Short mmCIF file of all heavy atoms in Angstrom, two decimals:
data_model
loop_
_atom_site.label_atom_id
_atom_site.label_comp_id
_atom_site.label_asym_id
_atom_site.label_seq_id
_atom_site.Cartn_x
_atom_site.Cartn_y
_atom_site.Cartn_z
N ARG N 446 -3.21 -38.62 23.90
CA ARG N 446 -3.17 -39.74 24.84
C ARG N 446 -2.70 -39.28 26.22
O ARG N 446 -3.22 -39.73 27.25
CB ARG N 446 -2.25 -40.84 24.32
CG ARG N 446 -2.86 -41.67 23.18
CD ARG N 446 -1.94 -42.81 22.84
NE ARG N 446 -1.73 -43.68 23.99
CZ ARG N 446 -0.73 -44.56 24.09
NH1 ARG N 446 0.15 -44.68 23.10
NH2 ARG N 446 -0.61 -45.32 25.16
N ILE N 447 -1.72 -38.40 26.26
CA ILE N 447 -1.26 -37.87 27.54
C ILE N 447 -2.39 -37.16 28.26
O ILE N 447 -2.59 -37.33 29.47
CB ILE N 447 -0.06 -36.92 27.35
CG1 ILE N 447 1.17 -37.71 26.90
CG2 ILE N 447 0.25 -36.16 28.64
CD1 ILE N 447 2.35 -36.85 26.53
N SER N 448 -3.16 -36.36 27.53
CA SER N 448 -4.26 -35.61 28.15
C SER N 448 -5.32 -36.55 28.71
O SER N 448 -6.05 -36.18 29.65
CB SER N 448 -4.90 -34.67 27.12
OG SER N 448 -5.65 -35.39 26.14
N GLN N 449 -5.42 -37.76 28.18
CA GLN N 449 -6.42 -38.71 28.65
C GLN N 449 -5.88 -39.69 29.68
O GLN N 449 -6.63 -40.13 30.56
CB GLN N 449 -6.98 -39.51 27.46
CG GLN N 449 -7.86 -38.71 26.52
CD GLN N 449 -8.50 -39.60 25.47
OE1 GLN N 449 -7.83 -40.40 24.83
NE2 GLN N 449 -9.80 -39.48 25.31
N GLU N 450 -4.61 -40.06 29.60
CA GLU N 450 -4.10 -41.19 30.36
C GLU N 450 -3.23 -40.83 31.56
O GLU N 450 -3.15 -41.60 32.51
CB GLU N 450 -3.29 -42.11 29.42
CG GLU N 450 -4.12 -42.69 28.28
CD GLU N 450 -3.26 -43.44 27.27
OE1 GLU N 450 -2.04 -43.58 27.51
OE2 GLU N 450 -3.81 -43.87 26.23
N VAL N 451 -2.57 -39.68 31.52
CA VAL N 451 -1.63 -39.33 32.58
C VAL N 451 -2.38 -38.77 33.78
O VAL N 451 -3.35 -38.01 33.63
CB VAL N 451 -0.58 -38.32 32.06
CG1 VAL N 451 0.31 -37.82 33.20
CG2 VAL N 451 0.26 -38.98 30.98
N ASP N 452 -1.91 -39.12 34.98
CA ASP N 452 -2.50 -38.63 36.22
C ASP N 452 -2.52 -37.10 36.21
O ASP N 452 -1.58 -36.46 35.77
CB ASP N 452 -1.69 -39.14 37.41
CG ASP N 452 -2.30 -38.73 38.73
OD1 ASP N 452 -3.15 -39.48 39.26
OD2 ASP N 452 -1.93 -37.66 39.23
N ILE N 453 -3.62 -36.54 36.74
CA ILE N 453 -3.80 -35.09 36.69
C ILE N 453 -2.66 -34.35 37.39
O ILE N 453 -2.25 -33.26 36.98
CB ILE N 453 -5.16 -34.69 37.32
CG1 ILE N 453 -5.39 -33.19 37.22
CG2 ILE N 453 -5.24 -35.14 38.78
CD1 ILE N 453 -5.44 -32.67 35.82
N ASN N 454 -2.09 -34.94 38.46
CA ASN N 454 -0.99 -34.29 39.17
C ASN N 454 0.29 -34.25 38.36
O ASN N 454 1.19 -33.45 38.67
CB ASN N 454 -0.73 -35.03 40.49
CG ASN N 454 -1.90 -34.96 41.43
OD1 ASN N 454 -2.52 -33.91 41.59
ND2 ASN N 454 -2.25 -36.09 42.04
N HIS N 455 0.40 -35.10 37.34
CA HIS N 455 1.61 -35.17 36.51
C HIS N 455 1.39 -34.58 35.11
O HIS N 455 2.36 -34.44 34.37
CB HIS N 455 2.06 -36.62 36.36
CG HIS N 455 2.34 -37.31 37.65
ND1 HIS N 455 2.31 -38.69 37.78
CD2 HIS N 455 2.64 -36.83 38.88
CE1 HIS N 455 2.59 -39.02 39.03
NE2 HIS N 455 2.78 -37.92 39.72
N LYS N 456 0.16 -34.27 34.78
CA LYS N 456 -0.17 -33.95 33.39
C LYS N 456 0.57 -32.71 32.88
O LYS N 456 1.11 -32.70 31.76
CB LYS N 456 -1.67 -33.77 33.23
CG LYS N 456 -2.12 -33.57 31.79
CD LYS N 456 -3.61 -33.34 31.70
CE LYS N 456 -4.39 -34.54 32.19
NZ LYS N 456 -5.84 -34.34 32.05
N GLU N 457 0.60 -31.65 33.67
CA GLU N 457 1.21 -30.41 33.22
C GLU N 457 2.70 -30.63 32.92
O GLU N 457 3.21 -30.19 31.89
CB GLU N 457 1.02 -29.32 34.28
CG GLU N 457 1.40 -27.93 33.81
CD GLU N 457 0.98 -26.84 34.79
OE1 GLU N 457 0.40 -27.18 35.84
OE2 GLU N 457 1.24 -25.68 34.49
N PHE N 458 3.39 -31.32 33.82
CA PHE N 458 4.80 -31.62 33.60
C PHE N 458 4.97 -32.56 32.40
O PHE N 458 5.89 -32.38 31.59
CB PHE N 458 5.39 -32.25 34.85
CG PHE N 458 6.79 -32.78 34.65
CD1 PHE N 458 7.86 -31.92 34.52
CD2 PHE N 458 7.02 -34.15 34.57
CE1 PHE N 458 9.15 -32.39 34.33
CE2 PHE N 458 8.30 -34.64 34.37
CZ PHE N 458 9.37 -33.76 34.25
N ALA N 459 4.09 -33.55 32.28
CA ALA N 459 4.19 -34.51 31.17
C ALA N 459 4.06 -33.83 29.82
O ALA N 459 4.79 -34.16 28.88
CB ALA N 459 3.12 -35.60 31.33
N MET N 460 3.14 -32.88 29.72
CA MET N 460 2.97 -32.15 28.46
C MET N 460 4.25 -31.40 28.10
O MET N 460 4.70 -31.41 26.96
CB MET N 460 1.81 -31.16 28.59
CG MET N 460 0.44 -31.80 28.61
SD MET N 460 -0.03 -32.37 26.96
CE MET N 460 -1.78 -32.70 27.23
N GLY N 461 4.82 -30.73 29.10
CA GLY N 461 6.01 -29.92 28.83
C GLY N 461 7.22 -30.75 28.45
O GLY N 461 7.92 -30.45 27.49
N ILE N 462 7.47 -31.84 29.20
CA ILE N 462 8.68 -32.62 28.96
C ILE N 462 8.57 -33.49 27.71
O ILE N 462 9.57 -33.72 27.02
CB ILE N 462 9.03 -33.48 30.20
CG1 ILE N 462 10.50 -33.92 30.17
CG2 ILE N 462 8.11 -34.68 30.31
CD1 ILE N 462 11.48 -32.80 30.33
N THR N 463 7.37 -33.94 27.37
CA THR N 463 7.21 -34.78 26.17
C THR N 463 7.40 -33.96 24.91
O THR N 463 7.80 -34.50 23.86
CB THR N 463 5.83 -35.46 26.17
OG1 THR N 463 5.68 -36.21 27.37
CG2 THR N 463 5.69 -36.40 24.99
N SER N 464 7.13 -32.65 24.99
CA SER N 464 7.35 -31.80 23.82
C SER N 464 8.82 -31.76 23.42
O SER N 464 9.17 -31.35 22.32
CB SER N 464 6.85 -30.38 24.09
OG SER N 464 7.65 -29.73 25.06
N MET N 465 9.70 -32.21 24.33
CA MET N 465 11.13 -32.27 24.05
C MET N 465 11.46 -33.37 23.06
O MET N 465 12.44 -33.28 22.30
CB MET N 465 11.89 -32.50 25.35
CG MET N 465 13.40 -32.65 25.20
SD MET N 465 14.15 -33.25 26.72
CE MET N 465 13.61 -34.96 26.71
N SER N 466 10.66 -34.44 23.03
CA SER N 466 11.04 -35.63 22.26
C SER N 466 11.06 -35.36 20.76
O SER N 466 11.94 -35.86 20.05
CB SER N 466 10.09 -36.79 22.57
OG SER N 466 8.75 -36.44 22.31
N ASP N 467 10.10 -34.57 20.25
CA ASP N 467 10.13 -34.29 18.81
C ASP N 467 11.34 -33.44 18.45
O ASP N 467 11.97 -33.65 17.41
CB ASP N 467 8.82 -33.63 18.37
CG ASP N 467 8.57 -32.28 19.01
OD1 ASP N 467 9.00 -32.09 20.16
OD2 ASP N 467 7.92 -31.43 18.38
N SER N 468 11.71 -32.49 19.33
CA SER N 468 12.89 -31.66 19.07
C SER N 468 14.17 -32.49 19.10
O SER N 468 15.09 -32.25 18.32
CB SER N 468 12.98 -30.52 20.09
OG SER N 468 11.88 -29.64 19.96
N LEU N 469 14.23 -33.46 20.01
CA LEU N 469 15.39 -34.33 20.07
C LEU N 469 15.51 -35.14 18.78
O LEU N 469 16.61 -35.28 18.22
CB LEU N 469 15.28 -35.27 21.28
CG LEU N 469 16.43 -36.26 21.47
CD1 LEU N 469 17.75 -35.53 21.68
CD2 LEU N 469 16.14 -37.19 22.66
N GLY N 470 14.38 -35.65 18.30
CA GLY N 470 14.39 -36.39 17.05
C GLY N 470 14.83 -35.54 15.87
O GLY N 470 15.63 -35.97 15.02
N VAL N 471 14.34 -34.30 15.81
CA VAL N 471 14.71 -33.39 14.72
C VAL N 471 16.19 -33.04 14.78
O VAL N 471 16.88 -32.94 13.75
CB VAL N 471 13.84 -32.12 14.77
CG1 VAL N 471 14.29 -31.12 13.72
CG2 VAL N 471 12.37 -32.48 14.54
N THR N 472 16.72 -32.85 15.99
CA THR N 472 18.14 -32.53 16.15
C THR N 472 19.02 -33.67 15.64
O THR N 472 19.99 -33.45 14.89
CB THR N 472 18.47 -32.25 17.63
OG1 THR N 472 17.66 -31.16 18.08
CG2 THR N 472 19.94 -31.89 17.80
N LEU N 473 18.69 -34.89 16.02
CA LEU N 473 19.44 -36.04 15.52
C LEU N 473 19.35 -36.13 14.01
O LEU N 473 20.33 -36.46 13.33
CB LEU N 473 18.93 -37.32 16.18
CG LEU N 473 19.18 -37.46 17.68
CD1 LEU N 473 18.49 -38.71 18.22
CD2 LEU N 473 20.67 -37.51 17.98
N ALA N 474 18.17 -35.83 13.47
CA ALA N 474 17.99 -35.85 12.01
C ALA N 474 18.90 -34.84 11.33
O ALA N 474 19.45 -35.11 10.25
CB ALA N 474 16.53 -35.57 11.66
N GLY N 475 19.06 -33.66 11.93
CA GLY N 475 19.94 -32.65 11.35
C GLY N 475 21.38 -33.11 11.26
O GLY N 475 22.06 -32.89 10.25
#
Side-chain angles (χ1 to χ4, degrees):
R446 284 186 60 197
I447 291 174
S448 71
Q449 290 187 310
E450 298 172 6
V451 174
D452 184 89
I453 183 62
N454 297 317
H455 302 157
K456 186 182 297 182
E457 190 170 1
F458 172 73
M460 288 286 193
I462 199 67
T463 304
S464 69
M465 177 192 73
S466 57
D467 63 329
S468 295
L469 180 61
V471 175
T472 301
L473 293 174

